[in-house]
Amino acid sequence: QPGDGTYVFSTALFIPQNNTGVATIQFEPFTQPVGNPSGFLHLDFLSNNRIRIDDDDSTIFGQFPRDQVFLVQVTLNINATAPSAHIILSGAGASGEADRTVLPPLRPQAQQFGAVRIWMGFPHTGAFLATNVLVQRKQ
């Protein structure tokens, strides 16, 4: 991983109507073991079609449709003092923008950013599709 810098993550998501679980996009350090699902920032796509950041109910924002493809873009500004994320939802009835500063205890993990986990964690079950996943480092 190249360390500090600006990274842009984007994907197209499809979450079916019959999926009542929470789908998650999680940003992790490069060295994170597959069996240890912890990261420095994550987005939960909730059953009420809203998005929550880092399990903090005060961060719930936006809306997304079921049974339609929509886009998610996250711009990570990784640095030693205040790493942050700018999140945008768009397309097919999805809308919303939010900003989040990485919590201070997780800043060292953010500086080792190198993986994105797209998953549904216990106890949630269901299926969803993420396609055209792209992470780019801005020069």
Side-chain angles (χ1 to χ4, degrees), residues 36-56:
N36 182 2
S38 65
F40 60 88
L41 175 80
H42 73 272
L43 309 176
D44 290 328
F45 293 80
L46 303 171
S47 59
N48 65 358
N49 299 354
R50 311 268 329 264
I51 297 84
R52 177 181 63 204
I53 305 170
D54 292 337
D55 297 329
D56 179 349

Side-chain angles (χ1 to χ4, degrees), residues 55-113:
D55 297 329
D56 179 349
D57 286 341
S58 72
T59 66
I60 293 174
F61 75 99
Q63 61 185 18
F64 64 90
R66 300 284 173 152
D67 294 330
Q68 294 184 58
V69 175
F70 64 96
L71 305 176
V72 179
Q73 180 178 346
V74 180
T75 301
L76 296 171
N77 291 305
I78 305 296
N79 58 61
T81 56
S84 63
H86 180 69
I87 304 140
I88 301 172
L89 304 173
S90 62
S95 65
E97 286 189 51
D99 292 302
R100 175 76 166 180
T101 301
V102 173
L103 299 172
L106 301 176
R107 288 179 184 160
Q109 286 186 17
Q111 286 188 277
Q112 297 174 30
F113 170 61

Side-chain angles (χ1 to χ4, degrees), residues 15-23 45-48 66 120 124-127:
I15 302 175
Q17 187 67 37
N18 63 357
N19 178 356
T20 58
V22 175
F45 293 80
L46 303 171
S47 59
N48 65 358
R66 300 284 173 152
M120 187 170 285
H124 302 284
T125 58

